[in-house]
Amino acid sequence: MSRLIVISNRVSKPSKTGNQGGLAVALSQALRESRGIWVGWSGEVTENFTGQIGFSEDEGVKTATIDLEEQDVDEYYNGYANKTLWPLFHFRIDLAEYERDFEGGYNRVNQRFADTTSPLIEPEDVIWVQDYHMIPLGRMLRDRGHDNRMGFFLHIPWPPTRLLVSLPHHTKLVQALFAYDVVGFHTEEWLESFRHYVEREMNGSVDGDFVTLGDRTIQAIACPIGINAQEYAHAAVSEAAGDMYEKVRRSLQDRVMIVGVDRLDYSKGLEERFNGYARFLKDHSEHHRNVVLTQIAPPSRGEVESYQHIRATLDSLAGRINGEYSDVDWTPIRYVNQGYPRDKLAGIYRAAKIGLVTPLRDGMNLVAKEYVAAQNPDDPGVLILSRFAGAAQQLKDALLINPYSPEEMSDAITRALAMPLDERKRRWRAMMDSVEQQDISWWRQRFTERLMAVQRNGEMKPEAEPA
């Protein structure tokens, strides 16, 4: 197996506590098998960029990190990545900010990653770049003479052409993807949007998985990411999960819990979720005192103004709903601004009779899959899922809703509360089969097999059959 070099904005070092996310676990396994290196930003800020690399090895995984200047973080990370690309790629063109300094910082930091990573690359290495922070990196490595097999995976949606063209220098950004050999998206919808842009805006051509622009042909594939389903199911019956389950159930006093777990982000549809739940309370007074919505929303990107706004909005909305409907011994919304370790979170999922996963737009949304994997097979809960989440393409036996419609959300909650056990079991089994079959290892293997089947000149090996 060729050595794998993974490059991403941040690295996740293996933890003996087992609280790494699913992506980190999958990548760590691949890096161990190939004696690879994970390269990324350390998360630390330095007064002057030196390019010095910090090497370490934890649990058999080698990492190489660099520090960035404060200006780099402001322009590349807070700026272009999170104020420009993130809102645009999540269809929120109204929130996207276009500043020349942002784009300049984005390109400068990618150049710095190219400069520092370049000496680490050996001729037979396979390079896998992760996510929207690093789109130009492959082209910059090519400019430095590397003809290695290179792949790129986008973990967020790809926007429709009509939105993408609002980005200054959008063609240059898309051209950069043609430096890679394999480009992956979560869903056929995002893949089709990419193909449409290449055909309509760049006069490229599409032939199945092969997309050609000028003299360069790449493979563009849909490859939905998963979770480690078996491990998560085991975590849900661990001692820590059991303790959390009992704690939650005692606090509910026999009430039904609806759970939402989301990073505090406008793409997650939290305001719409609260409004949909409020509509349920308004329409169904018979369920008052019997149902509690627990929303876990750890803060993120607090230095970005739009994130400050969403937190203030949710604080106000939760207070208004609780003020209108609470009784002295019942609060309809428990709004928690902190995160929980994976095993304890699995216990919370298992205690919830309804999982409410209602993003306005999401590349995948692994919370939906985690909720399914954590359920008790003999008495599973019901997943209510936004049809605009990438996971909706796989979890078709969830109750799929339009998150913008409070009435649909209210009706789905009502239906979930009344759903018979046999229907809950049938829906859960179908979803669990999907979660188990297309798990995190399947995702990693499907992508890397495509990448490994590419010859150094970018052509598919004739004897290799793509997964």
Side-chain angles (χ1 to χ4, degrees), residues 59 171 284 304 315 365 367 413:
E59 303 292 306
T171 300
H284 297 281
V304 179
D315 287 347
N365 198 296
V367 166
I413 293 172

Side-chain angles (χ1 to χ4, degrees), residues 323-355:
E324 183 172 354
Y325 293 103
S326 289
D327 206 338
V328 290
D329 60 347
W330 171 63
T331 303
I333 296 180
R334 297 177 177 180
Y335 178 42
V336 183
N337 286 133
Q338 71 174 57
Y340 292 90
R342 190 160 50 104
D343 49 2
K344 292 185 178 181
L345 195 57
I348 296 172
Y349 287 140
R350 200 174 179 90
K353 293 300 182 183
I354 300 174

Side-chain angles (χ1 to χ4, degrees), residues 213-241:
L213 183 64
D215 61 356
R216 180 68 178 157
T217 297
I218 66 172
Q219 293 181 72
I221 62 172
C223 186
I225 196 171
I227 63 170
N228 188 329
Q230 290 299 323
E231 183 180 349
Y232 210 90
H234 290 317
V237 294
S238 66
E239 182 178 354

Side-chain angles (χ1 to χ4, degrees), residues 260-281:
V261 179
D262 309 83
R263 188 168 50 79
L264 195 59
D265 187 284
Y266 49 78
S267 69
K268 302 302 183 183
L270 298 180
E271 183 177 353
E272 290 77 7
R273 186 179 307 170
F274 281 12
N275 285 327
Y277 181 62
R279 179 60 181 257
F280 164 77
L281 294 174

Side-chain angles (χ1 to χ4, degrees), residues 4 26 107 156 193 205 409 420 428 433:
L4 180 66
N107 287 318
I156 63 176
S193 293
S205 63
M409 198 172 302
W428 173 81
D433 286 345

Side-chain angles (χ1 to χ4, degrees), residues 36 54 90 119 131 164 177 199 212 245 253 320 323 389 426 445:
H90 286 86
D131 223 357
L164 185 55
L177 287 173
E199 289 182 309
T212 299
Y245 175 92
Q253 299 177 342
R320 180 181 66 76
R426 175 180 59 77
Q445 290 169 3

